[in-house]
Amino acid sequence: MNREAFLPTTKEDLKNRGISQPDFVYVLGDAYVDHPSFGPAIISRLLESRGYHVAIISQPDWKDDKSIQLFGEPRLGFLISGGNMDSMVNHYTVAKKKRHQDAYTPGGEAGKRPDYAVVVYGNLIRRSYKHTPIIIGGIEGSLRRLSHYDYWSNRMKRSELLDSGADLISYGMGEKSIVEIADALDAGIPIEQITYIRGTVFKTRNLEDTQPDKIMLPAFEQIQQDKKLYAKSFYRQYQNTDPFSAHQLVETYPHNVYVVQNPPSYPLSQEEMDDIYALPYARTYHPDYESKGGVPAISEVKFSLISNRGCFGGCNFCALTFHQGRIIQTRSEESILAEAKMMIQDPDFKGYIHDVGGPTANFSQPSCEKQLTKGVCTNRQCLFPEKCPSLKADHSRYLSLLAKLRNLKGVKKVFIRSGIRFDYLLYDKKHPFLKELCEYHVSGQLKVAPEHISDAVLSKMGKPSRQVYDHFVSEYYKTNQKLGKKQFLVPYLMSSHPGSTLKEAIELAEYVRDMGYMPEQVQDFYPTPSTLSTVMFYTGLDPRTMEPVYVPKSEKEKAMQRALIQYRDPKNYKLVKEALLKAGREDLIGFDKKCLIRPRDKQSYKKQQTTSTDRPKKSTKNKKIRNVHKKRKK
């Protein structure tokens, strides 16, 4: 694609457009991809639509000050995004080992951004431009906006606003706040006086800049020393993520420095959403990357459609509540269909729309009628531990959209690859979405995320009970049987989440045994910034109740819990055996159908034979699952 379709990335690009000085220089941790699935593309195109000139510096050499001086000093300020992922998640596995590939870098090359990219880029800019405004955003800036536990250094860290040398954080999705910031700077308001914009975090030495009903959080020095106090502080933050009910939050740092979080921006209206996705995106990576084979991350989203944002699912290991919020925002059918028709014209389009959804595909409206005027409940979840009586489960709008997409000329198949909340699906009377999903939008197998099957662990995850998932499994196979289809479920499972002892890990392994096959997708719990589960991991407390939580932390135990889920893999034999012996579950070592592994020596076999009379009876729940899978095989 012609480079004129993209925003300027060189001085020559600026010159060709007759721009002497950009208003903003946007520094990115990712490669420059001009597609609405990439936050920087939305922010830069939105600013452009408001008449501002934005130039892009993608993945600068952080060891060279000149790399940030490409365009000189911008008229209004620098913008920073660490990328579509937190830079530490991008760089390291949960075992803190370096990743060898980076899907957001040309050619998938690793190591093109620094650790803690937002902080490094901020200081890189500040060395050259002492007084130029710096505004940080994106997932990394958003989720590290106040003090937070950092898994990779295993310590509490300050707000990135302080460590980066920036002036403001635009947190959340940022469309409303970034335009307000730009307009204020353009009007000549000094950056230190821009303290009133929703969806921003600022620093001050004067509490007169704050609101009368503000909430004073514990000081940073206090929560460094007291994990219990940090758990309480985080839960206050968690309760202040709704734009209609949130208060200003103030965190105190040494030397009379205050970091102040304003309430979140109000949700976008449907018209605003439509306008944002109608901006003139090039919809691909910059042509400079072609010689390196492009940017791998585009392959998953190029032929996908974003229909919604926000999530009221409330999974405790997910940061969506802190970033996009719990109120569902949607695009109109007309907007989505227009984008689909544009997609069909792409020479690379083969007839398959890869996804239609968002954080949760089948959330196509707010969970109840009051949310768009009064917000979400502060102390109550929509789906956990049980569904709220006010929940309105209705898939009619989503079903209408999918039907129209299927009927577009040139479309062969419409897939749904975003997460699906199976509990919400079941709450819609007669499950109309399940039938359509199985008939039109699944190709052989459906991926779902029960994450675990032990209610003790699910309660710490904020996920529905096992009974709900078992009901979904039954309904899924019944529906496919009625349709004359043989389609399977592929569950995503998580090991080592807070609350999971070896007992719960073995319970999950027995469930896997009764499924009849080994899941390929297993994820160790990954403590990322600003989630309730991460606070549990660090403090050993559930912030919601302040009750103690068991946390598997040793590498050995985490390896055992992961191995138990994939107990059929010969490489895991020793770990599985060690885990079973440690948990006193020798009954699962033997030749019986219920056993997970077989003994490899005669002594173990004799011991297993002598204890066979003490074997626990088969769980009626597991029997139910076995019956479901037997029917599936028939």
Side-chain angles (χ1 to χ4, degrees):
M1 183 173 280
N2 197 310
R3 67 183 304 118
E4 279 73 27
F6 296 80
L7 297 175
T9 60
T10 66
K11 281 187 175 180
E12 189 68 22
D13 289 341
L14 283 181
K15 184 179 177 182
N16 291 339
R17 297 175 187 222
I19 303 169
S20 58
Q21 180 188 30
D23 297 309
F24 292 99
V25 172
Y26 207 159
V27 180
L28 313 181
D30 289 340
Y32 174 34
V33 181
D34 191 32
H35 188 282
S37 291
F38 291 69
I42 289 179
I43 296 300
S44 57
R45 287 295 185 184
L46 182 59
L47 286 170
E48 180 190 47
S49 75
R50 297 296 194 273
Y52 296 105
H53 299 305
V54 183
I56 305 291
I57 297 179
S58 173
Q59 299 185 319
D61 181 356
W62 66 94
K63 298 169 187 175
D64 182 2
D65 287 3
K66 290 181 180 178
S67 67
I68 214 73
Q69 300 167 6
L70 176 63
F71 299 106
E73 183 178 24
R75 184 175 72 89
L76 297 177
F78 281 93
L79 309 176
I80 299 175
S81 169
N84 269 23
M85 297 169 64
D86 186 281
S87 57
M88 300 305 286
V89 178
N90 180 280
H91 278 177
Y92 299 96
T93 68
V94 66
K96 299 183 181 179
K97 294 180 180 178
K98 277 273 191 180
R99 299 190 194 272
H100 302 297
Q101 290 185 315
D102 180 355
Y104 295 95
T105 295
E109 184 181 355
K112 299 298 286 184
R113 83 189 79 210
D115 287 356
Y116 306 108
V118 168
V119 170
V120 173
Y121 291 153
N123 285 285
L124 178 65
I125 293 167
R126 196 53 84 205
R127 284 199 297 271
S128 296
Y129 304 100
K130 302 296 183 186
H131 306 292
T132 309
I134 300 175
I135 300 99
I136 61 180
I139 196 78
E140 185 170 326
S142 186
L143 300 183
R144 295 175 182 265
R145 59 187 183 258
L146 294 176
S147 58
H148 55 281
Y149 169 68
D150 180 69
Y151 171 66
W152 302 272
S153 62
N154 193 31
R155 64 185 179 89
M156 291 296 300
K157 278 184 171 282
R158 307 192 303 171
S159 164
E160 278 202 338
L161 189 62
L162 301 180
D163 289 340
S164 66
D167 299 285
L168 282 176
I169 295 176
S170 169
Y171 73 87
M173 297 304 283
E175 291 99 342
K176 289 193 172 185
S177 59
I178 198 63
V179 171
E180 286 190 64
I181 293 167
D183 289 347
L185 290 171
D186 191 41
I189 300 175
I191 189 74
E192 61 271 14
Q193 292 181 22
I194 304 176
T195 61
Y196 53 87
I197 296 174
R198 280 178 165 269
T200 64
V201 179
F202 65 92
K203 55 191 175 185
T204 182
R205 293 183 182 273
N206 187 355
L207 282 179
E208 290 180 4
D209 294 332
T210 58
Q211 297 169 1
D213 63 347
K214 61 184 173 289
I215 294 174
M216 296 297 298
L217 298 173
F220 177 68
E221 289 175 306
Q222 292 178 296
I223 62 176
Q224 272 187 309
Q225 305 300 321
D226 189 337
K227 291 182 178 181
K228 187 174 183 179
L229 200 58
Y230 172 57
K232 288 181 177 179
S233 177
F234 182 83
Y235 196 54
R236 290 301 292 275
Q237 297 172 43
Y238 190 83
Q239 292 173 311
N240 275 268
T241 54
D242 179 77
F244 294 93
S245 61
H247 294 264
Q248 201 177 56
L249 302 178
V250 181
E251 200 168 55
T252 307
Y253 287 85
H255 311 299
N256 294 321
V257 174
Y258 303 99
V259 171
V260 184
Q261 174 184 301
N262 285 323
S265 297
Y266 287 113
L268 295 173
S269 67
Q270 189 170 91
E271 184 179 2
E272 288 171 326
M273 283 274 282
D274 288 353
D275 288 345
I276 284 166
Y277 286 91
L279 293 170
Y281 305 100
R283 304 190 65 82
T284 188
Y285 52 78
H286 195 277
D288 283 354
Y289 307 140
E290 199 65 58
S291 61
K292 293 186 177 181
V295 179
I298 192 65
S299 62
E300 285 298 314
V301 299
K302 187 175 182 182
F303 298 121
S304 295
L305 296 163
I306 296 172
S307 60
N308 65 69
R309 66 170 60 165
C311 181
F312 53 79
C315 299
N316 291 339
F317 49 80
C318 176
L320 273 166
T321 294
F322 256 66
H323 189 60
Q324 291 193 6
R326 291 166 57 192
I327 297 176
I328 302 300
Q329 300 149 74
T330 60
R331 297 167 61 188
S332 68
E333 278 190 358
E334 292 75 19
S335 169
I336 298 168
L337 290 168
E339 185 178 356
K341 290 172 183 176
M342 189 190 318
M343 189 186 293
I344 291 167
Q345 302 307 312
D346 190 300
D348 295 329
F349 184 73
K350 306 300 182 186
Y352 301 99
I353 295 176
H354 295 165
D355 188 25
V356 184
T360 302
N362 57 325
F363 287 175
S364 57
Q365 62 185 21
S367 61
C368 69
E369 293 179 358
K370 77 175 184 68
Q371 287 189 1
L372 290 178
T373 55
K374 297 180 181 178
V376 297
C377 299
T378 303
N379 295 304
R380 187 172 190 170
Q381 292 286 344
C382 303
L383 293 166
F384 176 84
E386 296 175 344
K387 84 177 185 73
C388 173
S390 298
L391 178 75
K392 185 179 179 182
D394 183 359
H395 291 82
S396 57
R397 183 180 179 277
Y398 191 41
L399 289 170
S400 171
L401 171 64
L402 292 171
K404 289 175 182 177
L405 288 169
R406 290 197 305 267
N407 291 326
L408 287 178
K409 185 178 180 180
V411 172
K412 298 177 183 176
K413 184 91 174 179
V414 179
F415 294 103
I416 298 173
R417 292 179 177 172
S418 299
I420 289 172
R421 280 298 293 234
F422 52 82
D423 48 351
Y424 182 77
L425 180 155
L426 293 173
Y427 298 144
D428 193 352
K429 294 178 181 179
K430 297 184 180 179
H431 321 324
F433 175 58
L434 181 58
K435 178 182 178 296
E436 296 253 332
L437 176 69
C438 294
E439 188 169 4
Y440 298 111
H441 304 290
V442 177
S443 183
Q445 59 185 30
L446 175 68
K447 295 178 181 178
V448 288
E451 306 295 356
H452 214 282
I453 49 80
S454 165
D455 287 346
V457 181
L458 291 168
S459 69
K460 301 305 177 194
M461 292 179 161
K463 296 285 287 185
S465 69
R466 172 176 174 172
Q467 182 181 12
V468 177
Y469 180 63
D470 286 348
H471 182 198
F472 171 74
V473 172
S474 175
E475 291 298 317
Y476 177 78
Y477 285 117
K478 268 196 246 177
T479 301
N480 276 290
Q481 188 177 33
K482 287 178 183 176
L483 293 170
K485 290 177 175 285
K486 290 185 177 180
Q487 299 187 128
F488 306 99
L489 280 176
V490 178
Y492 286 119
L493 301 173
M494 184 185 295
S495 62
S496 304
H497 188 277
S500 177
T501 68
L502 282 178
K503 174 180 175 291
E504 285 76 32
I506 291 170
E507 189 179 343
L508 181 55
E510 291 184 278
Y511 184 89
V512 170
R513 173 199 65 201
D514 295 335
M515 286 197 312
Y517 64 93
M518 184 177 73
E520 295 180 6
Q521 298 286 346
V522 178
Q523 171 67 54
D524 271 2
F525 167 65
Y526 202 153
T528 56
S530 295
T531 73
L532 283 165
S533 296
T534 296
V535 178
M536 292 182 206
F537 174 87
Y538 173 60
T539 66
L541 299 166
D542 185 334
R544 302 166 299 178
T545 62
M546 297 307 294
E547 293 177 354
V549 179
Y550 176 79
V551 180
K553 284 193 174 182
S554 74
E555 289 305 315
K556 185 62 175 289
E557 183 176 358
K558 289 197 285 186
M560 285 193 291
Q561 291 207 22
R562 184 172 59 253
L564 280 163
I565 301 175
Q566 296 181 313
Y567 70 89
R568 295 171 187 266
D569 190 332
K571 298 194 296 293
N572 292 332
Y573 182 87
K574 288 183 179 180
L575 280 171
V576 173
K577 182 178 179 182
E578 184 178 352
L580 294 175
L581 293 175
K582 187 175 180 179
R585 294 300 306 271
E586 291 92 339
D587 60 292
L588 294 177
I589 305 172
F591 296 93
D592 189 88
K593 286 183 180 181
K594 76 170 188 60
C595 293
L596 299 182
I597 56 173
R598 294 184 174 188
R600 288 183 174 176
D601 56 81
K602 292 181 180 178
Q603 189 174 357
S604 296
Y605 176 63
K606 286 179 181 178
K607 185 176 180 182
Q608 188 271 335
Q609 289 290 89
T610 59
T611 59
S612 62
T613 57
D614 299 325
R615 294 171 186 165
K617 294 181 179 179
K618 293 180 180 179
S619 162
T620 55
K621 288 183 178 179
N622 288 347
K623 184 178 180 181
K624 184 178 178 181
I625 296 300
R626 284 194 297 272
N627 290 339
V628 168
H629 287 280
K630 281 178 183 177
K631 288 179 181 178
R632 187 192 71 194
K633 287 177 182 177
K634 287 179 182 179

